Amino acid sequence: MHCHYEKIRNEKMRNMENPFKFGTIVEEEYFTDRVNEVAYIKQFLKSANHLVLISPRRFGKSSVVAKAVKESKRKHITVNLQQTTSVSDLSAKLLREFFKVHPMGRVRHLIKHFRVIPTVSSNPMTGSIDVSFQPGVDGAVLLEDVLTLIEKAHSEKDRMIVVLDEFQEIRDIAPKLDKQLRSIMQEQKHINYVLLGSQESMMTDIFENKKSPFYHFGELMRLGKLPREDFHRYLSERLMVVFPDIYEMLSKRILDYTGCHPYYSQQLAANVWQVGILHLDSEDPMDEAIDHIVKSHGLDYERLWMNLNRTNRWIMQRLAAAKPLQSGEYRTSTVYSALKRLQKDGFVIYTDRYELEDPFFKQWILSEME
Ligand SMILES: Nc1ncnc2c1ncn2[C@@H]1O[C@H](COP(=O)(O)OP(=O)(O)OP(=O)(O)O)[C@@H](O)[C@H]1O
Ligand SMILES: [Mg+2]
């Protein structure tokens, strides 16, 4: 009887979809908490100000902004600068997103003012719209025309929200682009800009360096890790089905291991869940999952490690083993500047203390030290 029940349960489980998601923007059932942050962003966008959101990589910036913007029910467009190859491409992408919100027929009179007429074609199969500009035209002109169009199509009472994700890329797309963009934005009153990017990148420099055109451009908001209690509930609810006896303990161990990092917690939980489905008799699903992840990234970790210099390796090992950095082995100034560098490169993050960004890389380092 017991056996029969077990069999049905196993079969049922194998057909279930993994309830955890890591990598891209999460919404709906994959999104948890951030209640205060979403409320704050929504409220903030009711003002005439711009918002800058910074956090370490994969903390959930894109997700939290997408949710807040969607819930605001306002007209909005999002462009990811990481996928943008030139100023002309950025202008075309902005315009394409704009047409998704404003049917072209209604704004045709505004496009007449464009100094360079865009080629707009629609794909009748997918219904999607393609926008391009003829090559060789001055990108600055295109960008100004597109942003002016957005401004003209809106009003102070009905501002558009323009989200620029991975904003730090602005400095790589074209020289002086930050300056051009800033001077266009300066004149605008009908747009709320939301600019996001990761802490390790140039973001802080762009908004906090007095010499940068974006110095004090908007309100600076920082995103932390997810609150433990909510995340614990989120994991527990989903692990319960597979591990009816130990799901609470597993959730706790996952969060201890990842320190509540949104991405790594979801990644580990997804793997623990998977182990539970495939090896029901596993002795320790958590260890097995960690082992699997560390092994599958082994080659990357090795390559990364080879490219680090000795001081950096030493610091990474000390952080991995939770040992103090002030041991007299290296000068304080050397340690400090190496830490800054490691932070910029994304290996180390600073929350309430310095820690390794990737708990699985940390595991790899520890196992190599043995
Ligand atoms: N509110 C949330 N609830 C649950 N999981 C989340 C949440 N926010 C982020 N995550 C997890 O973190 C992952 C990364 O989220 P997201 O892409 O929004 O972060 P990001 O900060 O924009 O990352 P990047 O630095 O790569 O741009 C998600 O795929 C998900 O696994
Ligand atoms: Mg993102």
Side-chain angles (χ1 to χ4, degrees):
M1 179 66 195
H2 179 74
C3 201
H4 177 67
Y5 170 75
E6 193 92 306
K7 222 169 140 188
I8 294 180
R9 182 168 161 265
N10 290 359
E11 244 160 57
K12 233 178 157 176
M13 285 201 308
R14 272 173 217 259
N15 288 326
M16 274 172 17
E17 218 173 279
N18 198 314
F20 300 101
K21 190 176 162 192
F22 55 98
T24 48
I25 288 186
V26 282
E27 14 169 48
E28 309 294 333
E29 76 268 27
Y30 297 107
F31 186 97
T32 181
D33 196 75
R34 298 283 192 223
V35 183
N36 297 336
E37 289 88 344
V38 170
Y40 178 83
I41 298 172
K42 274 162 69 179
Q43 185 59 36
F44 184 88
L45 292 172
K46 288 182 188 159
S47 76
N49 303 303
H50 308 301
L51 185 67
V52 177
L53 180 60
I54 302 183
S55 81
R57 296 231 57 175
R58 300 187 279 206
F59 262 40
K61 293 175 294 294
S62 303
S63 303
V64 80
V65 166
K67 185 172 167 89
V69 163
K70 192 170 165 195
E71 283 183 11
S72 76
K73 304 248 163 57
R74 297 245 305 272
K75 289 203 166 64
H76 59 91
I77 59 179
T78 298
V79 171
N80 186 334
L81 299 197
Q82 205 150 57
Q83 273 122 42
T84 305
T85 51
S86 64
V87 185
S88 160
D89 184 39
L90 171 62
S91 314
K93 288 207 162 90
L94 281 165
L95 191 53
R96 189 185 68 195
E97 294 306 306
F98 179 80
F99 286 144
K100 284 188 192 161
V101 181
H102 291 276
M104 202 170 24
R106 295 216 205 123
V107 288
R108 188 159 282 140
H109 62 288
L110 293 174
I111 299 172
K112 282 202 190 112
H113 300 291
F114 271 36
R115 283 165 284 179
V116 179
I117 302 298
T119 312
V120 183
S121 53
S122 72
N123 182 332
M125 300 299 283
T126 60
S128 70
I129 289 180
D130 244 338
V131 176
S132 60
F133 289 101
Q134 94 200 53
V137 226
D138 181 7
V141 168
L142 307 177
L143 188 63
E144 187 169 1
D145 281 355
V146 171
L147 291 178
T148 305
L149 162 71
I150 301 177
E151 171 82 1
K152 280 187 180 154
H154 283 261
S155 65
E156 252 166 278
K157 284 225 162 68
D158 168 35
R159 283 187 309 271
M160 172 163 252
I161 302 170
V162 175
V163 181
L164 300 178
D165 205 344
E166 305 288 357
F167 187 74
Q168 71 276 353
E169 298 286 320
I170 195 84
R171 290 195 171 168
D172 280 342
I173 296 175
K176 302 246 166 70
L177 175 56
D178 53 352
K179 215 167 155 207
Q180 283 162 11
L181 197 58
R182 177 69 220 253
S183 71
I184 300 169
M185 289 171 166
Q186 195 127 302
E187 306 292 318
Q188 300 188 309
K189 294 200 175 71
H190 308 156
I191 301 176
N192 283 119
Y193 286 97
V194 181
L195 312 177
L196 29 157
S198 52
Q199 189 171 298
E200 299 86 337
S201 64
M202 300 302 290
M203 275 304 268
T204 325
D205 196 54
I206 293 174
F207 295 99
E208 290 186 337
N209 185 338
K210 281 204 174 74
K211 289 194 191 123
S212 159
F214 278 91
Y215 177 66
H216 282 184
F217 173 73
E219 174 91 355
L220 213 67
M221 174 178 175
R222 292 181 189 272
L223 199 60
K225 292 175 174 175
L226 281 166
R228 185 161 176 128
E229 237 173 83
D230 286 285
F231 215 4
H232 187 274
R233 194 177 333 115
Y234 173 90
L235 298 180
S236 291
E237 279 167 2
R238 286 160 180 77
L239 291 171
M240 196 188 312
V241 194
V242 185
F243 305 100
D245 305 321
I246 53 166
Y247 66 91
E248 290 261 355
M249 184 267 284
L250 280 175
S251 308
K252 179 182 177 305
R253 280 180 67 198
I254 291 172
L255 294 176
D256 284 345
Y257 189 84
T258 59
C260 294
H261 189 294
Y263 172 90
Y264 293 119
S265 307
Q266 291 248 31
Q267 182 185 24
L268 182 51
N271 277 273
V272 168
W273 189 91
Q274 184 79 8
V275 170
I277 297 283
L278 295 176
H279 310 152
L280 256 189
D281 51 351
S282 166
E283 266 196 16
D284 189 340
M286 169 98 175
D287 268 356
E288 201 174 321
I290 291 173
D291 206 47
H292 172 77
I293 299 172
V294 174
K295 279 217 179 83
S296 65
H297 288 102
L299 283 178
D300 295 328
Y301 292 151
E302 202 167 324
R303 189 174 41 79
L304 291 171
W305 189 254
M306 293 315 228
N307 287 324
L308 291 170
N309 68 28
R310 252 159 238 294
T311 321
N312 287 340
R313 286 184 195 170
W314 180 83
I315 290 178
M316 301 272 286
Q317 285 179 336
R318 300 291 286 193
L319 289 175
K323 286 189 183 146
L325 297 171
Q326 251 52 313
S327 66
E329 204 141 341
Y330 288 95
R331 297 210 339 241
T332 311
S333 58
T334 311
V335 170
Y336 184 74
S337 57
L339 267 177
K340 286 280 149 214
R341 187 73 241 162
L342 284 169
Q343 217 181 334
K344 272 225 156 78
D345 291 339
F347 290 111
V348 168
I349 57 174
Y350 184 82
T351 44
D352 45 347
R353 66 205 153 83
Y354 285 105
E355 56 184 316
L356 293 184
E357 190 263 349
D358 179 348
F360 304 109
F361 194 12
K362 171 173 152 184
Q363 183 90 37
W364 183 88
I365 293 170
L366 286 174
S367 66
E368 293 289 305
M369 280 164 71
E370 275 167 10

